[in-house]
Structure formats: C-alpha cells, structure tokens
C-alpha cells in the first residue's frame, strides 16, 4: 500500500513538475547556455552596470538575431527565458518612467517570443523566472539558506534586489510541504479518508506559518527606498500600466503592441493552489485577475491549480461530515492563509505605499517609478484594493457553524 502511495506521489510530481523538497522551484537552474547564445548571457550578467551607464539599449540594438533552435532541454529554455526577460525589462526601463521603450527590437523580441512558446510562458519576465528559476548556491555543497544563496541575474538595487528575490524564493520553498499536503487532501477526499484529509490540512497550515516566518526576512534584507526607487520599475509590465498604456511592440512578432503584466506575487502557483484546495472563490475583478495570472505560470503548475479546482469541494465535504476535528483543521488552515495575506498587505504598505508617498514629495532616486505606480501592482492590479479583497474573501471561507 505504501509503495503504491509513493508511486502515486511520484506520478503527481512528474505531471505537475514539482518535487517534495523544492515544490515549484526549478531545481538546480543552469547558469550557462551553448556558446551560440553567449551574447545573451554577457548582457544579462552585466545588466546592472549597463542600465546604470545607459549602454544597454545601444548594445541590444546591435545584437544579432539568434534562433533558439539550439536550446535542447527545459533548463536551457528556462535560463534563456530568464536572461531574455531580464534584458527586456532593462531595455524597456533603462531611462526610467519618463522614457520607456515602446518597441523591443527584433533581436530581443523574436527569440524571446519563440522560447516563450516552447515553454508555454508569455514573453515577459515572470515570477516563475525571477523567483523560481533565478538562484544558485555560493557553496554548492552547502544549505539553501539566505547567506549561501545568490541570484543568477540582477537589476539595480544591490543587496535589496538580491534580498527581494531570494526571500521570495525561500517563501516559495517553505510552501513545498503544503503542496504535498494539498496532494494528500486531494487523494483522501476522493475516498472519504477523514484522517488523511486532516493530516494533509495540518501540513498545509504548518507550511503557511513557515512561509510567513520566511517572509519576515524581507525586513532585514530589503530597504524600502531602494526597492521603490530602484528595483520596482524593472519588474513592472506593460498592461494596465499608465507609463505604457498601449503596451510594447515586439518587432518581428506582431504589428500591434502587446499588453503583458509584470511579475507579481499573484503569479505564485503555491498560493493559488491553497485557494483552490480551500475552495476560496475570489470575487469578480479580483478573481478574474488571479485567473489571468495563471497564464504567467509554467503550464504544469497551472494544471495543478486547475486539478485542485475540480476536485470534490473540500469545504462542502467538511460541512457535510459534521466532524469538529476536521472543521478545526480546515479553519486553522484558512486562518493561517488570512494571516499570511495580512502580513503581505502590511509589508506592501511599508515597501510601496509609504516610499511612494515620500517620493511624491521629495523626488525619486535613479529615474524610478515616481508616482506612476504608487497604487498599482507590478502585475497591473489596484494594489491595496486587490490585497484587501483577497484577504477578506479568504476570511469569509471560515466555517462558523457549531459542529457537534
């Protein structure tokens, strides 16, 4: 029986491209591509200097158009997508909010488009790139702790850039036991295994609590003024963005500008999996935005969310059981997710709203976002309205009935 369970679990890992230890993270990302693509890596590896010296656009404009056909496996494609994504963001935002590039040149746009098609991702830097696939260990034999981790590619912002992406990665890694718990619940509910459901929910709750603990590292490793004034613009996209209201033209790909959202925590497959498991249905615009953000996830990760969404509804099952232990396990899980969302809301206030208001009065360093994105998320949502909406909807999922 146990062997069968392990085989089932391994089948899930393969189908949904996840692992027990790493969850949705890309395991052991590559840092090198075939020599044919060295020009991409040279630009991406020197991106901060090229942006700050305003040389990036000139170099990209002189770049040859390379076919991505020599990229052979998933990891090579993910590194290419990461590199082209970083270069694209640097190219568009090199001059800050006042002169964003409205056209990506063919040498950047066409290979980025083709690589994206092969991966099932959009041709823009996504959360799956900058967080899930943008890490390496300083000491390969050491642990995955913040002091032993570094980014493959960086934007301006120094330690704040490194801290922001690596803390986000550690939060995602803390989600991995919860993903395993969600799979357990998914299997247990199909056979009405109450103990299996309860144990799976306990794993999800513990995982959500660990995610919040890792999230707290943000305050030690990310400086608010540097995040708002230097880094944030480089993860901003060109959909629902007042700085690029028409989007960006991809030369050699489309005759019309393309609208795409920037990287956002709303693109975290882990959080959307927990929503799907707990039957948390977000309202109207918020729900539509979150559903659209699934298009920015690797297809296998998106498939897990959709699989959890069509399982027998967990909340209805628990209500029908009238089992107080199960109800308590479910409510603990929902409360932990509310707590994480509250913490996210407060952190956004510290890193976006307050520095944004300050920048409005004193001016923004390094050609940053100024006031343009003070209330808009990098994915294009109305930031505080969105975060309060998801928090409130999550809270409403609590089961308030007294169960005997």
């Amino acid at each position: 029986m146990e062997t069968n369970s392990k085989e089932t679990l391994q089948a899930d890992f393969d189908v949904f491209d996840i692992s027990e230890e790493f969850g949705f993270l890309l395991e052991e990302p590559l840092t090198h591509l075939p020599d044919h693509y060295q020009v991409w890596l040279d630009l991406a590896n020197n991106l901060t200097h090229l942006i700050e010296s305003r040389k990036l656009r000139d170099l990209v404009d002189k770049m040859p158009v390379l076919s991505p056909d020599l990229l052979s496996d998933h990891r090579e494609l993910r590194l290419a997508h990461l590199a082209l994504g970083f270069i694209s963001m640097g190219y568009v935002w090199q001059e800050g909010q006042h002169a964003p590039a409205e056209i990506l040149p063919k040498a950047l746009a066409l290979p980025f488009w083709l690589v994206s098609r092969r991966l099932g991702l959009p041709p823009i830097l996504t959360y799956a790139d900058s967080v899930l696939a943008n890490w390496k260990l300083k000491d390969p034999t050491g642990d995955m702790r913040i002091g032993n981790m570094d980014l493959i590619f960086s934007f301006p912002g120094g330690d704040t850039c490194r801290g922001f992406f690596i803390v986000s990665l550690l939060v995602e890694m803390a989600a991995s036991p919860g993903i395993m718990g969600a799979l357990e619940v998914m299997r247990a509910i199909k056979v009405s295994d109450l103990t299996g459901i309860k144990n799976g929910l306990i794993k999800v709750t513990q995982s959500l609590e660990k995610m919040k603990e890792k999230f707290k590292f943000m305050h030690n490793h990310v400086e608010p003024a540097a995040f708002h004034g230097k880094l944030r613009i480089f993860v901003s996209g060109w959909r629902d963005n007042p700085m690029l209201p028409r989007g960006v033209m991809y030369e050699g790909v489309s005759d019309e500008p393309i609208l795409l959202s920037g990287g956002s925590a709303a693109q975290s497959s882990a959080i959307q999996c927990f929503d799907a498991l707990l039957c948390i249905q977000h309202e109207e615009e918020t729900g539509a935005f979150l559903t659209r953000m699934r298009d920015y996830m690797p297809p296998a990760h998106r498939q897990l969310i959709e699989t959890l969404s069509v399982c027998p509804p967990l909340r209805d099952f628990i209500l029908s059981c009238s089992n107080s232990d199960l109800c308590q396990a479910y409510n603990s899980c929902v409360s932990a997710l509310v707590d994480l969302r509250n913490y996210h809301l407060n952190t956004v206030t510290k890193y976006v709203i307050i520095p944004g208001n300050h920048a409005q009065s004193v001016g923004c360093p390094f050609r940053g976002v100024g006031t343009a994105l003070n209330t808009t998320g990098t994915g294009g949502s109305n930031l505080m309205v969105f975060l309060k909406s998801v928090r409130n909807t999550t809270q409403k999922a609590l089961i308030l009935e007294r169960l005997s």
Side-chain angles (χ1 to χ4, degrees), residues 67-192:
S67 165
D69 288 350
L70 298 180
L71 299 168
S72 58
D73 64 24
H74 182 74
R75 278 187 177 77
E76 285 187 354
L77 288 166
R78 290 290 292 272
L79 178 58
H81 200 273
L82 176 69
L84 294 169
F86 263 79
I87 297 166
S88 295
M89 296 318 236
Y91 187 94
V92 169
W93 299 116
Q94 175 181 289
E95 302 298 322
Q97 65 169 332
H98 301 297
E102 296 181 20
I103 300 172
L104 278 186
K106 184 177 180 180
L108 190 51
L110 184 57
F112 198 15
W113 181 269
L114 294 172
V115 168
S116 299
R117 275 178 52 185
R118 285 173 67 182
L119 285 170
L121 288 171
I124 192 169
L125 188 74
T126 66
Y127 183 93
D129 298 310
S130 59
V131 174
L132 303 182
N134 187 31
W135 64 276
K136 58 187 178 182
L137 296 179
K138 295 176 182 175
D139 173 8
T141 65
D143 296 332
M144 285 188 70
R145 52 182 176 75
I146 200 160
N148 190 39
M149 300 187 74
D150 212 343
L151 302 177
I152 298 173
F153 305 130
S154 296
F155 288 123
D159 288 341
T160 283
C161 176
R162 176 182 169 274
F164 176 71
F165 289 127
I166 288 179
V167 170
S168 299
L169 177 145
L170 292 174
V171 172
E172 282 290 323
M173 194 167 173
S176 54
I179 302 304
M180 301 308 113
L183 291 173
E184 286 180 31
V185 174
M186 182 174 76
R187 285 193 300 273
I189 198 171
K190 290 176 181 175
V191 293
S192 299

Side-chain angles (χ1 to χ4, degrees), residues 22 24 34 124 132 150 156 177 183 194 208 217 233 255-256 259 265 291 299 320 338 349 354 379 381:
F22 292 95
F24 289 113
I124 192 169
L132 303 182
D150 212 343
L183 291 173
L194 302 192
L208 286 163
F217 289 173
I233 196 168
D255 293 332
E256 296 293 327
L259 297 163
T291 300
S320 70
V338 171
T349 301
I354 293 171
S381 64

Side-chain angles (χ1 to χ4, degrees), residues 211-231:
M211 289 168 75
K212 182 184 169 185
E213 289 305 308
K214 296 297 184 185
F215 199 178
K216 289 179 180 178
F217 289 173
M218 201 71 78
H219 302 288
N220 299 325
H221 297 279
V222 180
E223 201 276 314
F227 175 76
H228 183 274
K230 289 192 174 184
L231 175 60

Side-chain angles (χ1 to χ4, degrees), residues 7 39-40 57 67 92 94 103 116 195 245 279 374:
E7 287 173 358
V39 63
W40 296 350
R57 286 184 184 172
S67 165
V92 169
Q94 175 181 289
I103 300 172
S116 299
T195 302
C279 307
N374 276 6

